[in-house]
Amino acid sequence: MTTNAASTAPGVTVQGLGLLVATSLMWGFNWPLVKYLVAVLPPFSVRAASGLIGTALVLAIALARRESLVPPRGQWGRLCLAASLNVTAWMALTTLSLLWLRASETTILAYTLPIWAALLAWPLLGERPTMRRGVGLVLGLSGIVLLVAHGSPGESGVAAKLPGVAFALAGSMLFALGTVLAKRAPVAMPPTALVAWQTGLGLLPLLLLWQLLEQPDFAGLEAKAWAALVYGGALAFGLAYVCWFAALRRLPASVATIGALLAPVVGVLASVALLGDPFGLREIGALALTLGGVALATFARSSR
């Protein structure tokens, strides 16, 4: 039996918003940690090592819940596509962008994903944008532009940052596509088992790139680097994905992805605190615009 995507789209729930906030906090705080890690380890090694930790944690949770780990027949294509978009592309491309950009810049650019998801959700899911959600999106994007346009004395020019900008935006677009496709054609599996499969499959190309291209010196890492790897794996790669897909089942795709703009706010503040990224009147104004956009977009009712 088929159903109309517009009529069956979930509404905004307190539980869904709570999961969304938890996801944003875990992902946001991880950006400055990854920026620190790519200074002491090659980029694919950083994500692959964290991914191994995260996948093991999610798999353990799925087993503890006694969820079936057997993918449904005929849905391997959906599963592999979701893993490649939501894990492989997102992790690889955004991590590469950190080689050219500050952590706060990559965070903000990566979370332009609401632009692409909101546009894709209309034709693919039938989620028509409301006036309030449109205003919220404009405010959020204004905050993003203001933050990205900011440059500090002594930093590289715009041209030198273009590879990082391209990688971050490409990762954002592909993640948004994966988000919308997950709503349109979900894989019929228990939630945690589904995340375990997606993170595990998405991790395989990163492991291959690690083995072929990089020679990380894990033995020479300091304790704080190991702590950052464990945080990135257990929380940002593992638990955050569980919360993200749980939120996605409880919220419209456009609300979930626009609400995820909280993550760059957390990422910018964490980058200021941990890495000394600049934070002045322009950044404060940009964060205010972004938060205003998130509030409007998140609590606007879906149109029919």
Side-chain angles (χ1 to χ4, degrees):
M1 183 177 70
T2 60
T3 56
N4 181 274
S7 63
T8 60
V12 176
T13 66
V14 172
Q15 187 180 30
L17 292 176
L19 290 165
L20 183 60
V21 169
T23 303
S24 297
L25 289 172
M26 288 185 281
W27 277 344
F29 189 73
N30 194 51
W31 289 105
L33 298 184
V34 176
K35 176 65 175 180
Y36 160 71
L37 285 171
V38 296
V40 297
L41 285 172
F44 298 124
S45 302
V46 170
R47 288 304 200 182
S50 294
L52 287 172
I53 298 171
T55 300
L57 173 63
V58 176
L59 181 60
I61 294 173
L63 291 172
R65 292 179 173 178
R66 298 184 178 180
E67 295 183 359
S68 173
L69 296 175
V70 180
R73 182 177 299 178
Q75 295 197 13
W76 276 100
R78 296 182 187 179
L79 190 56
C80 291
L81 179 60
S84 64
L85 294 173
N86 291 116
V87 180
T88 305
W90 172 257
M91 293 296 182
L93 295 172
T94 57
T95 302
L96 286 173
S97 74
L98 287 166
L99 300 177
W100 287 271
L101 302 175
R102 298 195 314 257
S104 54
E105 292 172 326
T106 290
T107 307
I108 296 157
L109 285 171
Y111 285 94
T112 55
L113 65 92
I115 303 172
W116 324 118
L119 291 174
L120 290 168
W122 191 359
L124 295 179
L125 301 180
E127 292 183 10
R128 292 181 296 165
T130 64
M131 178 64 71
R132 288 184 63 189
R133 189 170 294 165
V135 173
L137 183 59
V138 170
L139 286 177
L141 294 178
S142 298
I144 287 173
V145 170
L146 188 57
L147 276 169
V148 172
H150 176 63
S152 298
E155 288 187 334
S156 301
V158 174
K161 295 182 178 182
L162 285 180
V165 172
F167 280 128
L169 288 178
S172 174
M173 293 175 188
L174 292 173
F175 190 97
L177 177 60
T179 297
V180 175
L181 291 178
K183 295 289 290 184
R184 183 180 185 184
V187 179
M189 285 187 70
T192 312
L194 176 59
V195 174
W197 268 107
Q198 288 198 44
T199 56
L201 290 172
L203 179 63
L204 293 178
L206 301 179
L207 289 170
L208 181 62
L209 290 169
W210 166 10
Q211 294 299 313
L212 292 177
L213 303 177
E214 302 176 345
Q215 295 181 331
D217 181 19
F218 287 105
L221 292 181
E222 298 180 356
K224 60 182 180 180
W226 280 108
L229 277 174
V230 171
Y231 175 92
L235 297 183
F237 201 107
L239 189 58
Y241 267 98
V242 175
C243 292
W244 168 252
F245 289 112
L248 193 60
R249 291 193 302 273
R250 292 167 173 81
L251 298 170
S254 52
V255 170
T257 47
I258 292 172
L261 278 172
L262 284 171
V265 175
V266 176
V268 169
L269 294 177
S271 298
V272 171
L274 298 177
L275 303 177
D277 279 7
F279 188 68
L281 291 177
R282 181 174 295 187
E283 287 80 11
I284 293 172
L287 289 178
L289 285 170
T290 303
L291 286 173
V294 168
L296 279 175
T298 301
F299 294 105
R301 294 182 179 180
S302 300
S303 62
R304 294 184 180 273

